[in-house]
Amino acid sequence: MNLKKTAAALLAAVMAVSFTACASKNISWIATNNGEQVPAGIYLDYMVNAYYEAASKTEKQGKDVLKEQIDGVSGSAWIQNKTDEDFKKYIAVTNKAAEEGMALTDEEIAQIDAQVYYQWQMMGGLFEQNGVSYESFLAVSHNDYLLNKAFENEYGTNGKNPVSDADLLKAFQENYFRVRTITMSLNNTDGTAKDEAAQQKVMDKANEILGKVNSDGSNYLDVILEYEKEQAASRGEDASTVHEHTETSHVSYMQKGNINYTQEMMDAIETMGNNEVKVLTSNSMVYVLQKLDISSTTAEDMSPYRTGVLQMLKGDEFDATIQSWADATTVDYNAEAKNFYKPEKLKLTVKRSSSES
């Protein structure tokens, strides 16, 4: 289930899209729903995201994306179809929430608004230059949250079809690694790659740590503590202030197949034995990683990952439910606006949000 904007991960392309000036005042709204006009900015929000999702499926940029074949159709048709599909789901979720009396609480609205305000500072220029106002951007985010809320209402602890903690824990143990790591970077603080000598120094340090565990038989937690004190001293800090360690210190969980790590690293962890330590690399990061026994984890350990595990188990099923809501929904489009807002009108521009100084 994909409930997040795809554009955020692709902003580094230093590229944005811009519609030409509006042809008439009638295109400020894209459709009517229950007698109310839906702002065109909501539709355009989905179009911007569809564009970047299409770009991620190709090796092209700009208008070249529109000419590429994506899933058997032109990039332009794919973007248009995706926009229509997502907008229809927006209407369907809005109506379903009203039908079931599902509304956001004041606390939820405040939380969402705070998050959206931060996102707007980063991405506002991208969306604003495409006719997406802050209010429309916010409305889409509220709808996304309603969708998450509907999911919890269906499968959550107090939902209509709850998934038991036992089933969730089983899925967690089968689909996550339990690890303990020291992480180092092969990049400088500005994101550029360190020179060859500096990178070798990082690798030497990682292998030195590995040697202490494998050759000296040291406890890995003790080795981590020693490393942390060493790092603190290098920063001119009092090494004695480094936190004390317990058996749960530095324990984290990595989902199998996580796209933030290379498949080679995931495969290597899969073959490791419990308590084994290895030096692994993924992209620009180096990990001195110890694999731990995940079978001893509890529902409390899983708690921070509960939503992700639940989505892993029920995401596809819920997507089908949302699709059924959309299939039963008819969108009453404003024909003039619908005909105007086409992917072909996208242009390459670089502009700043009016909210930026």
Side-chain angles (χ1 to χ4, degrees):
M1 178 169 57
N2 182 11
L3 305 178
K4 295 183 179 178
K5 299 179 189 303
T6 57
L10 294 159
L11 288 178
V14 195
M15 152 172 100
V17 289
S18 178
F19 280 99
T20 57
C22 295
S24 93
K25 294 180 180 179
N26 290 333
I27 62 173
S28 63
W29 57 280
I30 188 68
T32 57
N33 185 45
N34 294 323
E36 295 185 4
Q37 293 180 347
V38 182
I42 291 174
Y43 183 81
L44 295 175
D45 183 297
Y46 288 115
M47 183 171 282
V48 171
N49 280 286
Y51 170 80
Y52 277 93
E53 187 171 344
S56 72
K57 295 174 177 289
T58 74
E59 296 181 355
K60 303 295 183 179
Q61 293 183 351
K63 286 192 174 181
D64 288 342
V65 174
L66 308 181
K67 304 171 187 177
E68 288 292 291
Q69 287 290 302
I70 304 175
D71 298 336
V73 298
S74 69
S76 175
W78 191 94
I79 294 167
Q80 191 75 63
N81 293 340
K82 177 65 173 171
T83 304
D84 291 347
E85 175 186 328
D86 289 345
F87 181 70
K88 194 174 187 181
K89 289 179 180 177
Y90 171 92
I91 298 296
V93 171
T94 298
N95 293 342
K96 193 69 175 180
E99 175 188 325
E100 297 189 352
M102 183 177 64
L104 301 177
T105 65
D106 290 343
E107 183 180 356
E108 289 169 338
I109 290 173
Q111 178 184 350
I112 298 166
D113 290 1
Q115 293 172 346
V116 169
Y117 179 78
Y118 174 73
Q119 293 171 352
W120 188 256
Q121 304 314 302
M122 298 176 59
M123 299 187 291
L126 169 67
F127 285 88
E128 191 175 46
Q129 67 192 8
N130 287 285
V132 181
S133 68
Y134 178 76
E135 290 72 21
S136 290
F137 189 79
L138 186 61
V140 172
S141 297
H142 281 193
N143 192 269
D144 286 345
Y145 198 96
L146 277 175
L147 192 56
N148 279 314
K149 196 166 185 175
F151 180 78
E152 281 294 327
N153 286 348
E154 185 68 28
Y155 303 111
T157 303
N158 299 314
K160 290 177 282 188
N161 295 291
V163 180
S164 70
D165 284 345
D167 287 343
L168 287 171
L169 182 58
K170 181 174 183 292
F172 181 63
Q173 292 173 345
E174 290 175 348
N175 292 278
Y176 282 74
F177 295 120
R178 181 171 179 252
V179 300
R180 185 179 279 133
T181 64
I182 290 176
T183 305
M184 307 176 190
S185 178
L186 295 174
N187 285 346
N188 298 306
T189 55
D190 63 359
T192 59
K194 293 180 178 180
D195 60 36
E196 186 175 347
Q199 289 195 5
Q200 186 59 53
K201 186 176 180 180
V202 172
M203 294 302 302
D204 288 346
K205 186 62 181 179
N207 285 306
E208 175 190 329
I209 293 170
L210 178 66
K212 290 181 179 179
V213 179
N214 290 342
S215 299
D216 303 341
S218 300
N219 181 289
Y220 191 41
L221 269 177
D222 294 337
V223 174
I224 294 177
L225 182 59
E226 179 184 340
Y227 174 74
E228 289 180 328
K229 289 182 176 181
E230 178 184 297
Q231 291 298 299
S234 71
R235 297 189 296 267
E237 300 171 3
D238 185 351
S240 65
T241 62
V242 175
H243 67 99
E244 294 184 4
H245 284 168
T246 68
E247 281 305 309
T248 59
S249 296
H250 296 284
V251 172
S252 60
Y253 296 87
M254 301 168 62
Q255 186 175 0
K256 297 178 181 180
N258 189 321
I259 61 174
N260 293 319
Y261 306 98
T262 63
Q263 188 58 51
E264 289 77 11
M265 178 171 169
M266 291 287 102
D267 291 342
I269 299 173
E270 187 72 57
T271 61
M272 290 171 64
N274 289 334
N275 299 317
E276 184 178 358
V277 182
K278 280 188 176 182
V279 173
L280 303 173
T281 60
S282 178
N283 302 316
S284 62
M285 304 303 294
V286 178
Y287 303 87
V288 186
L289 181 144
Q290 181 182 41
K291 183 178 180 180
L292 302 172
D293 182 8
I294 198 169
S295 66
S296 62
T297 52
T298 65
E300 184 178 354
D301 296 326
M302 178 200 65
S303 181
Y305 305 88
R306 190 179 189 284
T307 299
V309 177
L310 189 57
Q311 289 178 349
M312 181 177 63
L313 287 178
K314 293 296 184 178
D316 289 344
E317 182 178 312
F318 188 64
D319 281 346
T321 297
I322 301 304
Q323 188 60 57
S324 71
W325 296 352
D327 291 342
T329 299
T330 299
V331 179
D332 186 12
Y333 278 110
N334 170 2
E336 184 176 358
K338 187 67 164 64
N339 290 332
F340 180 78
Y341 295 118
K342 299 291 184 182
E344 284 73 18
K345 293 184 181 292
L346 301 176
K347 291 183 178 181
L348 293 178
T349 61
V350 177
K351 295 184 179 179
R352 295 169 64 87
S353 168
S354 62
S355 62
E356 294 180 282
S357 59

